[in-house]
């Protein structure tokens, strides 16, 4: 089952990288994330909600996990939105993905779950690689962005653990899809409120091209569904750490294909360190 789990993570990573690369081609005024969440809710939301209502093993624990994930997901998007307004994604996103260390801490405090020495070493190495990668993209007002980055990383650790709890009550992929759709629904409402507060309108000023919106909307939720589904076989910190391989792919793509040469040696070193850490983690499974 380990091999299948890693395969599902790989598919999730490819989807995640794909929609993030699509977002790079969209005017920031169009708010790609808003349109992506809307597309997910329209196309996949009804199927997911039906699957959640029919298949889930309902309990107060599951309800608590749903509420926790909805709140943490919403605050995560707020953190990223404010951080991106102050510093580039090349600096913000790797730091926000340092959450596996927090997940290990919460899992130890709440569930008395301690990873093996090799797994812990692999995660630590990969996080150091994330910090190296981020330092190569340090532009803008990084100091003002840092509190929002910390909020995003903290919320990632919270909803990852609530996802780990919830998966025990979600026996099917449609049920997991419904769980994700509820969280995305809350995030969409919050982003809509922010649009209205900041711009006086709920709908963004422009819409991305359909060739970006449709696949982006399908991938943004499906990638998350696969990540949660795998958590029934692997610890949450392991899964989140492995998904950071997407940052490596995106960084190599930017350096090699898009010819982004600024601080490329440091960014390449960061990608190599992340990859080495994930190999160490994988050998410890």
């Amino acid at each position: 089952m380990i091999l299948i789990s890693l395969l599902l993570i790989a598919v999730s990573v490819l989807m995640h990288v794909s929609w993030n690369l699509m977002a790079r081609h969209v005017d920031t005024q169009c708010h790609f994330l808003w349109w992506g969440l809307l597309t997910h809710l329209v196309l996949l939301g009804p199927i997911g909600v039906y699957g959640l209502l029919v298949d889930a093993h309902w309990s107060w624990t599951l309800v608590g996990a749903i509420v926790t994930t909805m709140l943490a997901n919403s605050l995560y998007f707020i953190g990223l939105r404010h951080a991106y307004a102050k510093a580039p994604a090349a600096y913000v996103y790797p730091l926000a993905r340092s959450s596996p260390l927090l997940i290990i801490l919460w899992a130890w405090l709440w569930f008395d779950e301690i990873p093996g020495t090799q797994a812990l070493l692999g995660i630590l190495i990969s996080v150091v690689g994330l910090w190296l990668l981020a330092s190569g993209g340090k532009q803008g007002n990084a100091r003002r962005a840092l509190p929002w980055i910390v909020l995003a990383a903290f919320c990632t650790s919270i909803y990852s653990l609530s996802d780990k709890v919830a998966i025990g009550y979600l026996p099917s992929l449609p049920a997991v899809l419904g769980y994700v759709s509820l969280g995305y629904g809350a995030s969409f409402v919050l982003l809509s409120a922010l649009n209205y507060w900041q711009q006086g309108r709920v709908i963004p000023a422009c819409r991305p091209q359909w060739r970006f919106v449709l696949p982006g909307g399908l991938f943004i939720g499906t990638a998350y569904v696969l990540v949660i589904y795998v958590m029934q076989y692997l610890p949450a910190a392991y899964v989140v750490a492995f998904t950071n391989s997407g940052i490596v792919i995106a960084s190599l793509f930017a350096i090699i294909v898009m010819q982004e040469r600024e601080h490329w040696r440091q960014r390449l070193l960061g990608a190599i360190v992340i990859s080495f850490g994930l190999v160490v983690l994988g050998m410890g499974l």
Side-chain angles (χ1 to χ4, degrees):
M1 204 61 213
I2 295 297
L3 183 59
I4 295 177
S5 297
L6 293 177
L7 179 61
L8 292 177
I9 290 175
V11 174
S12 172
V13 165
L14 290 176
M15 288 183 177
H16 189 77
V17 170
S18 296
W19 77 258
N20 272 277
L21 290 176
M22 293 175 197
R24 296 178 65 137
H25 294 280
V26 174
D27 189 328
T28 56
Q29 295 299 315
C30 295
H31 293 295
F32 178 84
L33 186 57
W34 187 91
W35 287 103
L37 291 177
L38 176 62
T39 303
H40 168 88
L41 293 172
V42 171
L43 297 181
L44 300 178
I47 301 172
V49 171
Y50 177 79
L52 181 64
L53 292 174
V54 173
D55 295 342
H57 302 315
W58 285 97
S59 71
W60 285 113
T61 302
L62 176 58
V63 172
I66 290 173
V67 172
T68 300
T69 289
M70 290 173 69
L71 292 174
N73 251 320
S74 299
L75 291 175
Y76 166 77
F77 285 124
I78 288 179
L80 278 188
R81 181 170 175 144
H82 282 82
Y84 284 153
K86 297 171 175 59
Y91 172 73
V92 171
Y93 196 65
L95 291 181
R97 296 298 297 181
S98 301
S99 56
L101 289 180
L102 288 174
I103 296 173
I104 290 174
L105 176 61
W106 306 146
W108 172 56
L109 291 175
W110 294 346
F111 306 115
D112 198 26
E113 182 180 285
I114 302 176
T117 302
Q118 184 170 336
L120 182 60
L121 178 62
I123 291 174
L124 181 59
I125 292 172
S126 68
V127 169
V128 170
L130 288 170
W131 295 340
L132 284 171
L133 193 63
S135 63
K138 191 174 182 179
Q139 300 174 12
N141 198 332
R143 181 174 298 179
R144 291 186 61 190
L146 195 56
W148 297 106
I149 296 171
V150 171
L151 174 63
F154 176 79
C155 290
T156 300
S157 70
I158 296 300
Y159 72 65
S160 295
L161 282 183
S162 64
D163 294 344
K164 177 67 174 178
V165 171
I167 191 60
Y169 300 86
L170 304 173
S172 67
L173 280 174
V176 180
L177 178 61
Y179 173 83
V180 168
S181 296
L182 289 182
Y184 277 8
S187 300
F188 177 76
V189 170
L190 184 59
L191 289 179
S192 298
L194 284 175
N195 286 345
Y196 185 78
W197 179 56
Q198 294 176 344
Q199 302 174 358
R201 56 188 298 164
V202 172
I203 301 176
C206 56
R207 176 183 58 78
Q209 298 179 25
W210 286 113
R211 64 192 178 99
F212 296 137
V213 172
L214 287 178
L218 292 173
F219 290 167
I220 194 172
T222 307
Y224 187 21
V225 167
L226 294 178
V227 166
I228 297 176
Y229 187 76
V230 170
M231 285 184 182
Q232 62 186 307
Y233 307 111
L234 295 175
Y238 293 25
V239 176
V240 176
F242 279 128
T243 59
N244 286 339
S245 59
I247 298 178
V248 175
I249 296 174
S251 299
L252 294 178
F253 183 87
I255 295 172
I256 298 173
V257 179
M258 301 184 70
Q259 299 292 306
E260 295 182 4
R261 296 303 187 186
E262 189 171 8
H263 303 294
W264 71 269
R265 291 183 178 84
Q266 186 169 341
R267 290 158 57 201
L268 180 60
L269 176 61
I272 292 172
V273 172
I274 295 171
S275 301
F276 178 68
L278 296 182
V279 169
V280 173
L281 174 59
M283 293 174 63
L285 294 178

